[in-house]
Amino acid sequence: MKWDLNSNKMQKFTRHELEEFRRDLMLYAQARVGDKALAEDLVQEAFVRYFSRSGSEPVGSPKGYLIRTVYNLSIDHFRSKQIRLAAVASETDKPPDGETSPEQLISESQLQAKFDQAYTALPERQQQIFYMRRMEGHSTAQIASRFNLSRRMVQKYMAQIVLHFQRYLMDDSR
């Protein structure tokens, strides 16, 4: 169906329009996920969601709605795939009976020590900004207000802090 702005009524798509939408969506979905069967599933689900919108606000651009739905469904698919892979990986990495292996304890303690060193190597203001943002969960605006900075400056500080940690933690000589 599509919304006719002149008459404020829903009109049915022609068979040709539906086939064209489906073909375009299939190309888009297949480019996003790289799997024809999965792309077909995503396109089918997008159409199901579109046509099951009875009583909802009218869609101004049905094609845009369908493309966005396929995009969101593909993101959901990749997220759930990552979660499944992480769960499988964590199951295979676990020692028996859920105990932490000695290697894992050493690795975690070494990483914690490196993190502590990297944190103390930061200037005091950046330490405070990092702590407020990552540990206490304050927003950029709250931090900016506290330190009398612009939000953009807080964002720049956070970018510098992240780069600092990345460099520090990746450097094996420390």
Side-chain angles (χ1 to χ4, degrees), residues 92-112:
T92 58
D93 292 344
K94 286 184 183 175
D97 300 323
E99 295 177 15
T100 305
S101 70
E103 295 85 9
Q104 190 176 5
L105 283 174
I106 291 170
S107 175
E108 288 174 6
S109 65
Q110 288 173 343
L111 184 61
Q112 183 64 49

Side-chain angles (χ1 to χ4, degrees), residues 15-161:
R15 183 175 179 89
H16 175 74
E17 288 173 322
L18 274 177
E19 189 56 36
E20 184 180 323
F21 277 177
R22 193 194 71 71
R23 189 174 40 254
D24 291 346
L25 280 175
M26 276 298 299
L27 291 172
Y28 175 70
Q30 199 165 352
R32 286 214 33 92
V33 298
D35 179 5
K36 186 175 181 178
L38 178 58
E40 288 173 355
D41 290 344
L42 296 179
V43 169
Q44 179 68 27
E45 179 63 23
F47 274 107
V48 166
R49 289 184 182 194
Y50 178 77
F51 286 114
S52 65
R53 294 178 33 86
S54 63
S56 300
E57 290 266 333
V59 175
S61 171
K63 193 170 186 177
Y65 176 88
L66 290 166
I67 289 171
R68 187 64 184 187
T69 303
V70 167
Y71 174 81
N72 290 339
L73 289 168
S74 68
I75 288 175
D76 290 346
H77 167 76
F78 288 124
R79 283 183 184 151
S80 65
K81 184 177 180 180
Q82 285 178 329
I83 291 169
R84 285 190 307 272
L85 289 174
V88 167
S90 70
E91 287 299 318
T92 58
D93 292 344
K94 286 184 183 175
D97 300 323
E99 295 177 15
T100 305
S101 70
E103 295 85 9
Q104 190 176 5
L105 283 174
I106 291 170
S107 175
E108 288 174 6
S109 65
Q110 288 173 343
L111 184 61
Q112 183 64 49
K114 275 184 134 181
F115 176 83
D116 292 342
Q117 289 174 343
Y119 182 76
T120 56
L122 284 169
E124 186 176 343
R125 177 176 270 185
Q126 288 184 357
Q127 285 180 9
Q128 292 170 337
I129 289 171
F130 176 80
Y131 189 82
M132 287 180 70
R133 182 75 177 124
R134 297 295 182 187
M135 304 303 183
E136 295 178 347
H138 291 283
S139 70
T140 303
Q142 291 170 325
I143 297 169
S145 173
R146 164 99 190 279
F147 290 103
N148 198 25
L149 297 169
S150 69
R151 290 190 331 209
R152 182 69 185 131
M153 193 65 215
V154 172
Q155 291 170 344
K156 284 183 181 181
Y157 275 135
M158 284 304 297
Q160 291 170 358
I161 292 166

